Amino acid sequence: MSTESTSTVAKVLKPTILILIAIVAIASRLFSIIRFESVIHEFDPWFNYRTTQHLVKNGFYDFWNWFDEKSWYPLGRVVGGTVYPGIMVTSALIHNVLHFFNFPVDIRNVCVFLAPMFSGLTAFSAYLLTKELKDSSAGLLAAAFLGVAPGYISRSVAGSYDNEGIAIFLLVFTFYLWIKAVKTGSAFFGLMTALFYFYMVSAWGGYVFITNLVPLHAFTLVLMGRFSNRLYVSYSTFYAVGTLLSMQIPFVGFQPTRTSEHMAALGVFGLLQLYAFAELVRGYVSPKQFKTLLKGGIASVAIVSVVILTLLSLTGVVAPFTGRFYSLYDTGYAKIHIPIIASVSEHQPTAWTSFFFDLQMLIFLFPAGVYLCFKELKDEHVFIILYSVFASYFAGVMVRLMLTLTPVVCVSAAIAYSTLLDTYLEKSDHVLASSLRDAAAPSDTSDSKASGSSSKKPIPKGKTPETEPKPQPKSSATGEKKRFPIFNWDSRLVVILQLTWFLFMFAWHCTYVTSGSYSSPSIVLASRNQDGSQMIIDDFREAYYWLRKNTKEDAKVMSWWDYGYQMAGMANITTLVDNNTWNNTHIATVGKAMATSEEVAYPLLRRHDVDYILIIFGAVIGYSGDDINKFLWMIRIAEGVYPNEVKEANFFTSRGEYKVDHDATLTMKNSLMYKMSYYRFADLYGGNAVDHVRGARMPSEGPSLSVLEEAYSSEHFLVRIYKVKQPDNLGRNLKDATAFDK
Amino acid sequence: MGFSTRTLFLTVTLALIAFLASSSFTVDAQSNVADVLQKKITSLQAKAVKNKGVIELDSLAFDEVMAKPRNYSMAILFTAIGPEYQCVPCLNFDPEFKLVASGWSKLPDKTKMLFGSLDFKVGQAVFQKFGMNSAPSVLFFPPSDSISSNPLSDRYDFSRNGFTAESFANWVNARAGTDIKVRRPIDIVALAVKVLGVFALIGTIYLIYTKAGKLSSSKYLWSALSMIRNPPYTIQGRDGRPGFIAQGFQNQFGLETQIVAVLYAILTGSVISLIGVVPKIENPTMQRMAVWVSMGLFAFMFSVLIQIFRVKNPSYPFTLMF
């Protein structure tokens, strides 16, 4: 085939492959819909879904000014000012566009399918990004890797309607635009970077990663002596426009000028201005004068800025780093200071198995790709190196941040993989010719690509005379840089076959992981019966539906905060605390009500107008994520605020064990949570009950309740709802009244 | 070094004072209870000071120390240091306990509070008496005249407070009303590692700068990452053999991390050799060998990695070579 027709075929093939990759990316995220149904998953997505519904129904301004009196009762929540609105606005926009063209798609389906759709776009932007780093074939590989990598799928399956679903696309695309901007030095691409940065800020708190990585890249380039007008134009445009835009999001507000997380970006912005100014001055004064000027200038600027920053931090104008940020650097910090952060499992450090599970072979191709970036080391490769180093660190500290690592792993693994393919698929006669040419002209040793890149590279100032001639004598003396083709067809074959096989394995692995681990909606549980047939446990929705249909419209339901969003979204009732966790005291109050005795808890419940209490109880079916297992966190958080009324030590037996059976401590047995969980549990089994989660044989005489009455227990007892009794008509205390009624 | 000589000097001086004090008190009348108490605390104090703040107890000494009346509080560590007990937490906590006790020996008034440690080997009777069946545990005994709860209910909770000396010191201070401060001796090894790390970082930056960067820093990151959690290095299995691979998906040991890091390094190395080294080999036979070796190593190590992963996650269905 001639080169011309090859390139024509490539022109047709590339879009086709990209479209296929997008289809695969979307398809592999649909397991949960096929197995279950088109529902919103988990916890946070329910809030996003509820706000999106509000946005679609009431319009943008109403959404912006929405005060939600149904959550955090009696405090309420200013929703418009405390959300990242990006995802809601995106799906409302899609919904409205579709309706404009008379496609009557339900907003739920838009929300459910949003993340898979965006994953197709993410794959495309990975293609663009990698194309800037190597070539389009590596780009296609990167797109395919990122399309199916479980590390990204974990957050973007259909129904997982969360910020990360669109944020990863924005992250990769912003980085692509940034690299493009640095390469071309065009203000247009700088502006585009800023615009997508703004979109990212509106969508996810992880935008801080961009805010720090891009300045770091610029700073590193300056340190490497690669300051250029391209860098100056792109960064200045990006920073100025991006920062102004990001401040338009109410939740972000003035943070970019006040918090330490954003200071690096500001500092680098200032540095670049100074550097550019110095470059300008250099053009007008003699080198000797310039040296003196420079020394004095750098020293004074450094001292002044450090002093100012310290003063601002000390006086509190610039806020210190936030707690979640601290826990990135000091993993012990959260455990000691903020139990609510430590209690969230996705803020835990990562084990190596998670890396393998989420990235399989990419995880060891990744360093090879980084190594290749070191060898090329153009401006954009520096970016990938920095990105990989920092993302690896953060992913190691917090499981959740695996998500930011995945794109760079895919990109650099694709670079390594496609270099492998290039090396072993190269047509031998072509290579032979080039190697012969190389042999004939030893001064021009390196292959065309390497030499092309090195000549394009900006030469570090002042180093020109020493560094430039060095590599050449070295390479001609040792023959190190000379590259030969792969001579034997068998060595080509073994490499290509194995690599292809690894690709198959990778695809299987990804499908296995996606289907097995990341496609569970978690509001619907599936288990297998002994005969292998599937059993669906739908207790959550059953109970929420019961609440929706059987309670007053303004009923207040107390539960642990994990279920707040789901209850608000599905049952449409008023909750006391939810997954927003902005008010630790309020959460601690709920924890206290759960952890204290009926006599203490009852006035507390009355004062908060609680009508119902909802708990999750897994002992019947062995669901280990139930409230008794979370109870320790409730106690801990409550103890943090009410140290005199709740004491964790009282919940442990004298041997330091957490027991729920005969050996349970008195405090444990008297606590509201214990009573609600095991109320009439023993009766289910005729007094011979076994807690399947904790493997404990329960006392035959269960706890009794006097201030609450059982209102509803779902099919498998997974959700139990209790009604808080009204004070007694005759003025007796409720304990006596209950005893009398018996 | 200056640190330890000072401690030694202090110890000797204190011991001397204690000796003089106790010998002068023997002459006085012994019927006075206060004097008895004073004598007791002084001798115990001397004993403690000699041993860097910890009084080593056995069953007999325990009863002696605990005998009523006593006007001092006591924190007693029940431990089992001997290798036959395989008590990893005991070994972990021991230096931390000693650190707090040595913090005690810096206090101006040492009469309020004493630290004792009782090893299972010599104190089985006491272990039985208190119904202890796990070690380490620390009990706090307040002075005998104070109205207090059963010391068994006031034990130091390792799972909550952790193994560090700082939190243990806080726990003691809250109970005894002392002001013990923990001063960690400077760990020369850790310092050296940090200094080396800084140099390595500078070196890496220099390498990038001079474009000779052949270091793939992310490879080294792996080993650093595992240290974040501070895991046990290995653990003794049931059959006494050391276990390298932690059971369970979310746990890992120090050695396990290093094994995996080495595997990753070999895998990455073979990829790099296929890309970078093989095409530079002039001799076709040599080149063929290099390809086969690299690729074989790659496939083999990948299979090993998958096997290790299957230990952690037994339901994983895929294998490569075996």
Short mmCIF file of all heavy atoms in Angstrom, two decimals, chain B residues 8-22 42 45-47 49-50:
data_model
loop_
_atom_site.label_atom_id
_atom_site.label_comp_id
_atom_site.label_asym_id
_atom_site.label_seq_id
_atom_site.Cartn_x
_atom_site.Cartn_y
_atom_site.Cartn_z
N LEU B 8 22.54 10.18 82.38
CA LEU B 8 23.33 9.34 83.27
C LEU B 8 23.71 10.13 84.52
O LEU B 8 23.53 9.67 85.65
CB LEU B 8 24.59 8.87 82.53
CG LEU B 8 25.31 7.72 83.19
CD1 LEU B 8 24.48 6.46 83.04
CD2 LEU B 8 26.68 7.55 82.57
N PHE B 9 24.20 11.32 84.28
CA PHE B 9 24.62 12.18 85.38
C PHE B 9 23.46 12.41 86.33
O PHE B 9 23.57 12.24 87.55
CB PHE B 9 25.13 13.50 84.81
CG PHE B 9 25.55 14.48 85.86
CD1 PHE B 9 26.63 14.22 86.68
CD2 PHE B 9 24.83 15.66 86.05
CE1 PHE B 9 27.00 15.12 87.66
CE2 PHE B 9 25.21 16.55 87.03
CZ PHE B 9 26.29 16.29 87.86
N LEU B 10 22.32 12.75 85.75
CA LEU B 10 21.12 13.02 86.52
C LEU B 10 20.74 11.81 87.35
O LEU B 10 20.44 11.89 88.54
CB LEU B 10 19.99 13.38 85.55
CG LEU B 10 18.85 14.18 86.14
CD1 LEU B 10 19.32 15.60 86.40
CD2 LEU B 10 17.70 14.19 85.15
N THR B 11 20.79 10.67 86.69
CA THR B 11 20.41 9.42 87.36
C THR B 11 21.30 9.17 88.56
O THR B 11 20.82 8.87 89.66
CB THR B 11 20.54 8.26 86.38
OG1 THR B 11 20.12 8.68 85.11
CG2 THR B 11 19.74 7.08 86.83
N VAL B 12 22.60 9.31 88.34
CA VAL B 12 23.54 9.04 89.43
C VAL B 12 23.30 9.99 90.58
O VAL B 12 23.20 9.57 91.75
CB VAL B 12 24.99 9.17 88.91
CG1 VAL B 12 25.97 9.15 90.07
CG2 VAL B 12 25.29 8.07 87.93
N THR B 13 23.13 11.26 90.26
CA THR B 13 22.91 12.25 91.32
C THR B 13 21.65 11.92 92.10
O THR B 13 21.65 11.91 93.34
CB THR B 13 22.75 13.65 90.71
OG1 THR B 13 23.57 13.74 89.57
CG2 THR B 13 23.07 14.72 91.71
N LEU B 14 20.58 11.65 91.36
CA LEU B 14 19.31 11.37 92.02
C LEU B 14 19.41 10.14 92.89
O LEU B 14 18.90 10.11 94.01
CB LEU B 14 18.20 11.20 90.98
CG LEU B 14 17.73 12.52 90.35
CD1 LEU B 14 16.78 12.24 89.22
CD2 LEU B 14 17.06 13.37 91.41
N ALA B 15 20.08 9.13 92.35
CA ALA B 15 20.22 7.90 93.11
C ALA B 15 20.96 8.19 94.41
O ALA B 15 20.60 7.69 95.48
CB ALA B 15 20.96 6.86 92.28
N LEU B 16 21.99 9.00 94.31
CA LEU B 16 22.79 9.36 95.48
C LEU B 16 21.92 10.06 96.51
O LEU B 16 21.91 9.70 97.70
CB LEU B 16 23.92 10.29 95.02
CG LEU B 16 25.17 10.25 95.89
CD1 LEU B 16 25.80 8.87 95.79
CD2 LEU B 16 26.14 11.33 95.42
N ILE B 17 21.17 11.04 96.02
CA ILE B 17 20.30 11.79 96.93
C ILE B 17 19.31 10.85 97.59
O ILE B 17 19.11 10.86 98.81
CB ILE B 17 19.55 12.91 96.17
CG1 ILE B 17 20.55 13.96 95.72
CG2 ILE B 17 18.47 13.53 97.04
CD1 ILE B 17 19.99 14.94 94.74
N ALA B 18 18.71 10.02 96.76
CA ALA B 18 17.72 9.08 97.28
C ALA B 18 18.34 8.18 98.34
O ALA B 18 17.76 7.93 99.40
CB ALA B 18 17.17 8.24 96.14
N PHE B 19 19.55 7.72 98.06
CA PHE B 19 20.23 6.84 98.99
C PHE B 19 20.47 7.55 100.32
O PHE B 19 20.15 7.05 101.39
CB PHE B 19 21.57 6.38 98.38
CG PHE B 19 22.39 5.56 99.31
CD1 PHE B 19 21.99 4.27 99.63
CD2 PHE B 19 23.54 6.09 99.89
CE1 PHE B 19 22.74 3.53 100.50
CE2 PHE B 19 24.28 5.33 100.76
CZ PHE B 19 23.89 4.06 101.07
N LEU B 20 21.00 8.76 100.22
CA LEU B 20 21.27 9.54 101.42
C LEU B 20 19.98 9.77 102.20
O LEU B 20 19.93 9.58 103.41
CB LEU B 20 21.90 10.88 101.05
CG LEU B 20 23.36 10.79 100.59
CD1 LEU B 20 23.86 12.15 100.12
CD2 LEU B 20 24.21 10.26 101.73
N ALA B 21 18.95 10.17 101.44
CA ALA B 21 17.67 10.46 102.09
C ALA B 21 17.14 9.25 102.81
O ALA B 21 16.75 9.31 103.98
CB ALA B 21 16.67 10.94 101.04
N SER B 22 17.15 8.11 102.13
CA SER B 22 16.57 6.91 102.74
C SER B 22 17.39 6.50 103.96
O SER B 22 16.84 6.09 104.97
CB SER B 22 16.50 5.79 101.71
OG SER B 22 17.80 5.50 101.28
N THR B 42 10.13 6.71 98.50
CA THR B 42 11.50 7.10 98.18
C THR B 42 12.29 5.92 97.63
O THR B 42 13.03 6.05 96.66
CB THR B 42 12.21 7.64 99.44
OG1 THR B 42 11.28 8.37 100.22
CG2 THR B 42 13.36 8.54 99.04
N GLN B 45 11.07 5.15 94.25
CA GLN B 45 11.51 6.18 93.33
C GLN B 45 12.95 5.94 92.93
O GLN B 45 13.30 6.04 91.75
CB GLN B 45 11.37 7.52 94.04
CG GLN B 45 11.29 8.69 93.13
CD GLN B 45 11.08 9.94 93.95
OE1 GLN B 45 10.18 10.02 94.78
NE2 GLN B 45 11.91 10.91 93.73
N ALA B 46 13.75 5.60 93.91
CA ALA B 46 15.15 5.33 93.63
C ALA B 46 15.27 4.16 92.65
O ALA B 46 16.04 4.20 91.68
CB ALA B 46 15.89 5.01 94.92
N LYS B 47 14.45 3.16 92.91
CA LYS B 47 14.47 1.97 92.05
C LYS B 47 14.11 2.36 90.61
O LYS B 47 14.71 1.92 89.64
CB LYS B 47 13.42 1.00 92.57
CG LYS B 47 13.81 -0.46 92.51
CD LYS B 47 12.63 -1.23 93.09
CE LYS B 47 13.00 -2.59 93.56
NZ LYS B 47 11.82 -3.22 94.17
N VAL B 49 14.21 5.36 89.24
CA VAL B 49 15.17 6.26 88.61
C VAL B 49 16.35 5.48 88.07
O VAL B 49 16.87 5.77 86.99
CB VAL B 49 15.62 7.33 89.63
CG1 VAL B 49 16.85 8.06 89.12
CG2 VAL B 49 14.50 8.32 89.88
N LYS B 50 16.73 4.45 88.79
CA LYS B 50 17.85 3.62 88.35
C LYS B 50 17.54 2.98 87.01
O LYS B 50 18.41 2.76 86.18
CB LYS B 50 18.11 2.52 89.38
CG LYS B 50 19.36 2.80 90.22
CD LYS B 50 19.59 1.65 91.16
CE LYS B 50 19.70 2.15 92.59
NZ LYS B 50 19.47 1.10 93.58
#
